[in-house]
Amino acid sequence: MSESAQGIPGLPDLTHPTELIQFGTHLLKASLLLVFLVLALGIAIALLSFALRRNQQQQEILIGEWAVSYSQLLRGLQHFTLVLILLVGGFFLCSTLSNRYHHWEQAKVAQVAQSVAGERLEQIAPQIRYITEEPYVYTTQVNGKIIKVNEKRKISRFLTLSGSQIQVKIDQSPDVQGRRAIYKIDYTADYKVINQLKDIKSFFFEAPPPIGYSLLQSYKVERDGTRLSQTNPGDYGFPFQLQPTEETSLRVTYKAQGGPRWVYSSNGQLLSNFRLVAIANFPGADFASGIVPNEIKNDRQGTQFTWVFDDNVSVKNPFGVYTYTDPVRHTGVLPRLLLLAPTIFLWWILLLYFSLPMNLTNVTIAGTVFFACLLSLTYLSRFINSQLAWTLISFVLLALTWGLGSKNRSVSLAALICTIAGAVLPVFGLLVPFSGLTLSLAGLLSVIWLAVRHWYDLYRLKPESRR
């Protein structure tokens, strides 16, 4: 497994004991410090009360106010500690889920890439080679004298193909492991050659097999219906004779299989009267290298691509066919949401605190329900669209939030408004492309609700609702 599929580096994970131990150690130290400060404040108030025991009036005024404030501090500290525990626990849960979902996404991308991985089958255009003698002049030293020597040397030159008519049939099938696709090629090519030279009649038809094949069979080269033989094993240069001004045709046929991509390269040659027909007998075929075919035909069996150039053509990128795979879209959306989920929870819980009475039990249940919904969203998103999954989960979250009213309709409605503005919309905003607009609307709705609730006093809770 590649490193990219291991998860998001640097994030804490509940399955890593070392990280939990380190975090627990730091949290224990911070908790002890906080407890020590609270106890120190209580001891200070007790000592001050003891010092003012003779002045009862001053003791009742000063110590009474401090005792009330201290009691409120302890009560608020309980809520603060509970929210902090939920935030920390939710952060660890969400970071773990983010790592897991990132791993699933990378594994899916790797699986799609592996299905079309492998070397491509590249067929290079053949060449007509001939040997000619050209004068060669060089200087040398003989008996202390520099003399000029005129000789002739043999060099290889190439004749231009006068026509190329190529047809390739491509079938796709899975490999033995069933993990990736392979191409099965049935190749037929007819080439025309005209001897435009006056003093050369011996040629070599160099037609190499495709590069990158895993199996090559039934390879043969024919001239006007007569099969040509190889002179050396592994040498795909076929000698033939052609008189000046004469024309002949050469056919190359073979069957091969290899990676899930087939291309035809001109190899820098200027090809004349070129026609290439690639028949892909499988769905999802597309043309490669950006050279648009002159004609594309689609039927039930597959797609036929046709490239035709009546004069001449030379391309830098080869013609070809490959298997199109749907891209893995919207990767990283849910991991980002999970990393921001504790902030959304804090947003939502503060709205609830500012809008309706909350006790420790309600806060605990609300936090548990929120992170349980995110857990469900993470696993449901592996099978269905994440936006649809959150829409379904939102109805469950709203139905459970209605219970915060304890059979009081006003409080229940306030809880629903807070949940929509503080939880449903922010989470949904991080799942859609227009995240900024959705989050802005959620923030505006939250501010409007608090202003209406507290400043304009347009939404009043019944007295029994605030107990």
Side-chain angles (χ1 to χ4, degrees), residues 162-187:
S162 58
S164 301
Q165 304 291 320
I166 305 162
Q167 178 176 293
V168 55
K169 297 180 180 179
I170 308 174
D171 293 300
Q172 181 178 264
S173 62
D175 62 355
V176 178
Q177 292 80 15
R179 296 180 179 177
R180 66 183 185 93
I182 58 174
Y183 276 5
K184 294 183 178 180
I185 306 297
D186 189 353
Y187 181 84

Side-chain angles (χ1 to χ4, degrees), residues 263-280:
V263 296
Y264 188 89
S265 175
S266 64
N267 199 25
Q269 300 183 62
L270 191 63
L271 304 177
S272 301
N273 299 319
F274 180 82
R275 179 183 177 87
L276 170 61
V277 179
I279 304 173

